[in-house]
Amino acid sequence: MEIDQWRREYLRGGLHRADLKATPVEQFRQWLSEAVEAELSDPSSMCLATADASGQPSQRIVLLKGFDERGFVFFTNLESHKARDIASNAKVSLLFPWQSLERQVIVYGQAVQVERDEAQAYFRTRPRDSQLAAWASHQSDPIQNREQLQQQFDAVKSQYGENEIPLPEFWGGYRVLPNAVEFWQGGANRLHDRFIYRAEEAGQWSVERLSP
């Protein structure tokens, strides 16, 4: 495997300042729509990067569950590794790797917990077994084996039967409030197009082109 020889050209097209929307959320909405139209696998999946109090970073894939001018929303166990990191260091980054479109979007910002009624509204839309799984899994804690996890799931399923499954106290969501958003479009000869929006006062955004 000569991995150092693996390469390809990026030829799908460029990104021009004149084509950019006024805000990063508008630009993101357009690119997400195009990712959906292109039938990408999991276009709402994003890599969430956090860092603990010591500065040790960690990453994982989570799903975007909403966005607007306020920020980008995801849901999780509030006692998980990522949640513990956010509790000590709320600065996070999101990466949307739309590789087949030769695009990336990077969001830099601060994670704040959403209100419980917002988490409740989303939790109700989850499939019933996913609701049960939220109760069954002590996310990021060590577990003896797969059988133990299945036993915990079966116990919760038996406990609630056909009754409504309540939102766990330890489960909720975060909204990433962006202070900068970068849009990357691959270009030939590694001359990629990169534009970064930076938050300014009164909800305004500045835009800069970055060297590839």
Side-chain angles (χ1 to χ4, degrees), residues 18-80:
D19 297 327
L20 295 175
K21 302 297 185 183
T23 72
V25 171
E26 292 177 61
Q27 184 64 36
F28 179 83
R29 180 174 289 110
Q30 176 178 314
W31 272 23
L32 178 60
S33 176
E34 291 172 3
V36 172
E37 290 174 4
E39 299 183 341
L40 299 193
S41 176
D42 297 325
S44 66
S45 65
M46 58 190 185
C47 180
L48 166 67
T50 60
D52 64 19
S54 74
Q56 173 62 53
S58 61
Q59 300 169 294
R60 74 288 291 160
I61 299 296
V62 298
L63 297 178
L64 178 70
K65 289 300 179 182
F67 70 96
D68 55 25
E69 295 295 339
R70 295 174 297 167
F72 300 80
V73 177
F74 66 93
F75 294 90
T76 188
N77 186 304
L78 299 177
E79 298 174 354
S80 63

Side-chain angles (χ1 to χ4, degrees), residues 53 117 143:
D117 59 350
I143 192 167

Side-chain angles (χ1 to χ4, degrees), residues 10-186:
Y10 297 90
L11 303 172
R12 291 186 62 92
L15 180 61
H16 307 285
R17 182 184 291 267
D19 297 327
L20 295 175
K21 302 297 185 183
T23 72
V25 171
E26 292 177 61
Q27 184 64 36
F28 179 83
R29 180 174 289 110
Q30 176 178 314
W31 272 23
L32 178 60
S33 176
E34 291 172 3
V36 172
E37 290 174 4
E39 299 183 341
L40 299 193
S41 176
D42 297 325
S44 66
S45 65
M46 58 190 185
C47 180
L48 166 67
T50 60
D52 64 19
S54 74
Q56 173 62 53
S58 61
Q59 300 169 294
R60 74 288 291 160
I61 299 296
V62 298
L63 297 178
L64 178 70
K65 289 300 179 182
F67 70 96
D68 55 25
E69 295 295 339
R70 295 174 297 167
F72 300 80
V73 177
F74 66 93
F75 294 90
T76 188
N77 186 304
L78 299 177
E79 298 174 354
S80 63
H81 184 170
K82 68 180 83 66
R84 293 195 296 267
D85 280 0
I86 290 170
S88 61
N89 180 0
K91 293 180 179 179
V92 304
S93 180
L94 308 173
L95 169 66
F96 295 85
W98 295 325
Q99 295 173 323
S100 64
L101 295 179
E102 299 174 359
R103 289 175 173 176
Q104 300 178 58
V105 179
I106 306 172
V107 178
Y108 303 91
Q110 179 172 327
V112 298
Q113 197 168 325
V114 304
E115 296 293 335
R116 187 165 175 81
D117 59 350
E118 185 173 351
Q120 176 71 75
Y122 170 69
F123 188 77
R124 287 173 179 160
T125 71
R126 286 164 61 95
R128 186 174 181 83
D129 281 352
S130 295
Q131 294 181 26
L132 293 170
W135 279 99
S137 174
H138 305 290
Q139 193 174 113
S140 302
D141 286 355
I143 192 167
Q144 184 175 357
N145 50 41
R146 176 78 188 190
E147 287 71 25
Q148 181 183 349
L149 180 62
Q150 186 64 52
Q151 288 170 6
Q152 290 170 186
F153 179 85
D154 292 342
V156 171
K157 188 172 185 178
S158 176
Q159 175 184 350
Y160 287 107
E162 298 301 318
N163 297 323
E164 181 178 343
I165 303 167
L167 175 69
E169 290 292 333
F170 54 81
W171 201 92
Y174 292 94
R175 176 172 286 105
V176 177
L177 312 179
N179 55 56
V181 184
E182 179 184 332
F183 294 84
W184 182 101
Q185 176 74 63

Side-chain angles (χ1 to χ4, degrees), residues 1-8:
M1 294 178 63
E2 297 178 349
I3 191 170
D4 62 326
Q5 298 303 307
W6 295 354
R7 60 176 58 87
R8 66 182 178 91

